[in-house]
């Protein structure tokens, strides 16, 4: 991103945002928080969204007392005139007409993550990857709090980094969950330690190819220098390849191999090796969050925290006490001997494969949702070879695609439901005492719900209302 006009780089005491004419497009949580932050910094802010203001209910109330120009219910092209900076929300594609118009007019284009990271106080680390981000950043938040820090866990997790920027102090810790959508509009984003957890097929409806998607994930390291740390999954080929050419010091994490520098498992213990020093963090069976995939998340969190100077005993205590996050293999209730599990955070096939692998009893699974143009073949193969998955109930826009992939493998225990409530009732009728009902859609939620959080809450409401 180019500097906003009229900013003199050589004078670091100048507030670069004061009097800058900024158009923010997209009034989701991050756009609203950024508008507040830039107003505080003295910018002249205009906000825009294709949806009319009335459709936001009371969500825009926080902006009404601020000196903001509202251009709601329009495409924003007229509002772009004579602006110094365009900031797009993660939901606005990088090839959208307003972005093209800004570039033709030589108006810099940026994102909320980039702007907030340049204003935020505190020591920042960041995590990206296809799966495991929310669990890993939440665990890191618990570790830093255990270390006595005020910690702001922000970004793609639902609490905007701009909100953290308005609250953080120099002595605080900041943990940012970062998506590929956000990384499309970063330039100077510079976490002191950053991790890519894994890269599997996802968001190809937005990014087009795996090469583009993988490149965006690697972009999290591009502004780092020799004093920083890049944390990578040794078992993920795409992640391992990212180490080549990085300026930062590389730490790997691995469940299966002993790495030269980083976190690994040996003789049932998590080991951290940094420089010439090797420390035992904890026993693997002390990690409270279940499943092999969470061992990987814990290894990544340990590597980041240890690279930032958190002592091994502090990390150990957090590993023993951190119970996980909402909507990720979350136990809801047991009714008539059947356990109901909310994995609404399972928004892609790889995430749902991990949920399937974590099941220890006969299971009926609810699958389906918004189409992100990915293949369901790997998930179908995993379900076919996992005898515990005894029934699949399909909902949403991708139901036909998932059914086709399942039938290709020879799996036939397939059922359809028009709504999530009908799917839960179908699973209830199919599941014997001692079994599980797993809601892990393997898809985004936008065909039927606002987001995976709303989808997960509704699932829990349906389950808790069962008599």
């Amino acid at each position: 991103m180019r500097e906003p006009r009229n900013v003199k780089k050589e004078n670091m005491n100048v507030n670069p945002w004061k009097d800058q004419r900024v158009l923010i497009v997209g009034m989701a949580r991050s756009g609203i928080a950024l508008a507040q932050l830039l107003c505080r910094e003295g910018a002249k802010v205009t906000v825009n969204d294709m949806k009319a203001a009335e459709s936001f209910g009371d969500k825009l109330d926080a902006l009404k007392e601020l000196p903001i120009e509202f251009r709601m219910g329009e495409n924003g092209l007229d509002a772009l005139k004579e602006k110094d900076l365009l900031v797009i929300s993660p939901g606005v594609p990088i090839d959208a007409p307003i972005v093209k118009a800004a570039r033709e007019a030589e108006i810099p284009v940026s994102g909320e993550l980039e702007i907030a990271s340049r204003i935020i106080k505190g020591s920042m680390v960041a995590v990206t990857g296809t799966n495991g981000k929310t669990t890993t950043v939440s665990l890191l938040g618990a570790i830093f709090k255990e270390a006595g820090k005020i910690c702001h866990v922000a970004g793609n997790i639902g609490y905007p980094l701009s909100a953290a920027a308005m609250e953080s102090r120099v002595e605080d810790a900041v943990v940012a969950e970062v998506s590929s959508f956000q990384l499309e509009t970063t330039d100077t984003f510079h976490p002191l330690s950053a991790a890519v957890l894994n890269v599997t097929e996802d968001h190809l409806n937005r990014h087009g190819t795996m090469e583009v998607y993988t490149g965006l994930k690697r972009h999290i390291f591009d502004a780092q220098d020799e004093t920083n740390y890049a944390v990578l999954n040794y078992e993920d080929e795409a992640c391992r390849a990212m180490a080549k050419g990085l300026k930062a010091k590389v730490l790997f994490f691995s469940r299966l191999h002993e790495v030269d520098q980083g976190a690994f498992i040996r003789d049932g213990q998590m080991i951290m090796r940094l420089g010439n020093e090797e420390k035992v963090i904890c026993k693997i069976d002390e990690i409270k969050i279940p499943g092999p995939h969470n061992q990987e998340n814990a290894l990544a969190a340990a590597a980041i925290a240890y690279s930032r100077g958190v002592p091994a005993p502090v990390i150990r205590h957090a590993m023993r006490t951190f119970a996980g996050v909402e909507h990720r293999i979350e136990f809801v209730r047991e009714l008539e001997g059947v356990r109901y599990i909310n994995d609404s955070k399972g928004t892609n096939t790889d995430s749902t494969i991990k949920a399937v692998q974590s099941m220890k009893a006969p299971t009926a699974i609810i699958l389906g949702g918004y189409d992100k143009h990915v293949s369901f073949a790997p998930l179908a193969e995993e379900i076919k070879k996992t005898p515990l998955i005894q029934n699949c109930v399909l909902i949403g826009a991708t139901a036909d695609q998932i059914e086709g992939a399942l039938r290709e493998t020879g799996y036939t225990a397939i059922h359809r439901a028009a709504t999530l409530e009908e799917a839960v009732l179908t699973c209830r009728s199919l599941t014997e005492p001692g079994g599980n009902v797993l809601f892990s859609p393997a898809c985004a939620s936008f065909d039927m719900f606002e987001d995976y959080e709303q989808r997960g809450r509704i699932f829990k409401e349906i389950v808790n209302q069962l008599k």
Side-chain angles (χ1 to χ4, degrees):
M1 187 193 84
R2 291 196 294 113
E3 290 288 330
R5 297 170 186 167
N6 305 321
V7 175
K8 296 181 179 180
K9 283 187 175 182
E10 63 272 17
N11 187 349
M12 299 304 292
N13 293 319
V14 171
N15 176 354
W17 313 108
K18 184 170 175 57
D19 295 327
Q20 293 297 301
R21 298 164 297 180
V22 181
L23 174 62
I24 302 172
V25 175
M27 284 293 101
R29 281 175 288 196
S30 63
I32 292 170
L34 180 63
Q36 294 174 289
L37 175 62
L38 285 177
C39 279
R40 190 193 72 173
E41 296 293 307
K44 297 177 180 178
V45 175
T46 301
V47 297
N48 163 256
D49 199 288
M50 290 288 289
K51 295 188 292 186
E54 298 75 32
S55 67
F56 287 86
D58 61 359
K59 293 178 181 177
L60 299 178
D61 287 356
L63 305 182
K64 288 182 177 177
E65 302 302 319
L66 297 175
I68 288 174
E69 179 186 4
F70 289 84
R71 300 290 293 269
M72 306 297 289
E74 58 180 270
N75 62 24
L77 289 172
D78 288 338
L80 185 62
K81 295 174 183 176
E82 299 184 351
K83 293 296 185 290
D84 299 316
L85 177 66
L86 169 66
V87 185
I88 58 174
S89 79
V92 177
I94 201 70
D95 60 353
I98 194 163
V99 177
K100 292 179 180 178
R103 287 177 171 162
E104 289 172 1
E106 297 188 342
I107 297 170
V109 178
S110 192
E112 183 262 346
L113 184 79
E114 169 73 15
I115 304 301
S117 71
R118 294 171 65 176
I119 297 172
I120 204 163
K121 302 177 182 67
S123 300
M124 184 171 61
V125 301
V127 176
T128 193
T130 306
N131 295 305
K133 297 185 294 294
T134 298
T135 297
T136 304
V137 298
S138 299
L139 175 54
L140 276 165
I143 292 171
F144 284 119
K145 288 172 185 175
E146 191 68 31
K149 290 276 190 181
I150 292 176
C151 184
H152 308 267
V153 180
N156 191 59
I157 196 170
Y159 177 63
L161 198 65
S162 291
M166 288 186 279
E167 297 180 3
S168 63
R169 307 169 303 166
V170 173
E171 61 268 30
D172 293 352
V174 179
V175 181
E177 178 184 323
V178 181
S179 72
S180 58
F181 291 7
Q182 292 172 311
L183 286 166
E184 284 183 319
T185 51
T186 59
D187 182 34
T188 66
F189 178 64
H190 184 177
L192 301 175
S193 295
V196 179
L197 302 177
N198 44 62
V199 182
T200 58
E201 194 175 81
D202 200 12
H203 300 304
L204 298 191
N205 59 323
R206 168 85 167 237
H207 302 311
T209 68
M210 279 299 293
E211 289 76 17
V212 171
Y213 179 54
T214 302
L216 285 168
K217 293 298 188 185
R218 190 186 187 278
H219 185 46
I220 197 171
F221 304 123
D222 284 352
Q224 289 188 308
D225 59 34
E226 296 80 1
T227 67
N228 304 140
Y229 288 92
V231 177
L232 292 164
N233 185 348
Y234 186 82
E235 304 307 325
D236 186 300
E237 186 177 344
C239 288
R240 193 164 64 245
M242 291 179 188
K244 185 177 180 181
L246 293 183
K247 293 180 182 178
K249 301 169 189 174
V250 174
L251 300 176
F252 285 110
F253 64 92
S254 174
R255 283 196 308 115
L256 305 177
H257 294 88
E258 187 169 319
V259 298
D260 181 59
Q261 293 286 293
F264 58 92
I265 297 172
R266 183 175 65 205
D267 298 330
Q269 294 181 315
M270 181 190 293
I271 309 293
M272 181 68 205
R273 186 183 290 157
L274 186 61
N276 296 321
E277 187 176 63
E278 188 174 292
K279 292 280 188 181
V280 175
I281 301 297
C282 65
K283 295 178 181 178
I284 289 302
D285 60 12
E286 291 180 296
I287 301 172
K288 190 169 184 179
I289 46 178
H293 61 291
N294 277 326
Q295 292 178 9
E296 293 184 350
N297 296 335
L299 286 162
I304 291 174
Y306 197 81
S307 75
R308 301 307 313 147
V310 180
V314 173
I315 301 173
R316 180 182 306 122
H317 187 268
M319 296 289 180
R320 290 170 172 170
T321 57
F322 178 72
V325 298
E326 189 180 14
H327 309 302
R328 189 66 181 119
I329 316 184
E330 175 194 10
F331 172 71
V332 180
R333 75 180 289 200
E334 183 173 325
L335 177 65
E336 298 171 336
V338 175
R339 290 170 54 87
Y340 291 80
I341 300 165
N342 169 32
D343 192 50
S344 182
K345 192 79 167 66
T347 58
N348 57 64
T349 57
D350 190 62
S351 182
T352 294
I353 285 171
K354 289 178 168 61
V356 165
Q357 292 170 341
S358 71
M359 293 298 101
K360 305 299 183 188
T363 298
I365 185 172
I366 301 171
L367 298 166
Y370 176 76
D371 186 5
K372 294 196 284 186
H373 299 173
V374 300
S375 171
F376 293 102
L379 173 60
E381 292 288 348
E382 187 67 30
I383 288 172
K384 173 63 175 175
K385 74 179 186 183
T386 307
L388 289 175
I389 307 300
Q390 297 187 347
N391 290 281
C392 292
V393 179
L394 310 183
I395 62 172
T398 56
D400 287 344
Q401 296 173 55
I402 297 172
E403 178 168 354
L406 288 167
R407 292 197 184 280
E408 280 287 321
T409 71
Y411 187 95
T412 58
I414 301 167
H415 313 266
R416 291 294 192 103
T419 65
L420 181 53
E421 182 176 13
E422 183 184 338
V424 171
L425 294 174
T426 301
C427 286
R428 183 182 187 183
S429 70
L430 293 167
T431 308
E432 300 290 335
N436 299 322
V437 172
L438 171 64
F439 178 45
S440 187
C443 302
S445 58
F446 308 125
D447 59 333
M448 299 170 73
F449 306 95
E450 288 183 6
D451 51 32
Y452 77 85
E453 293 166 308
Q454 185 202 45
R455 178 172 67 181
R457 287 193 298 269
I458 290 173
F459 172 76
K460 291 194 288 185
E461 289 171 5
I462 293 168
V463 169
N464 285 320
Q465 289 169 4
L466 294 175
K467 302 297 185 183

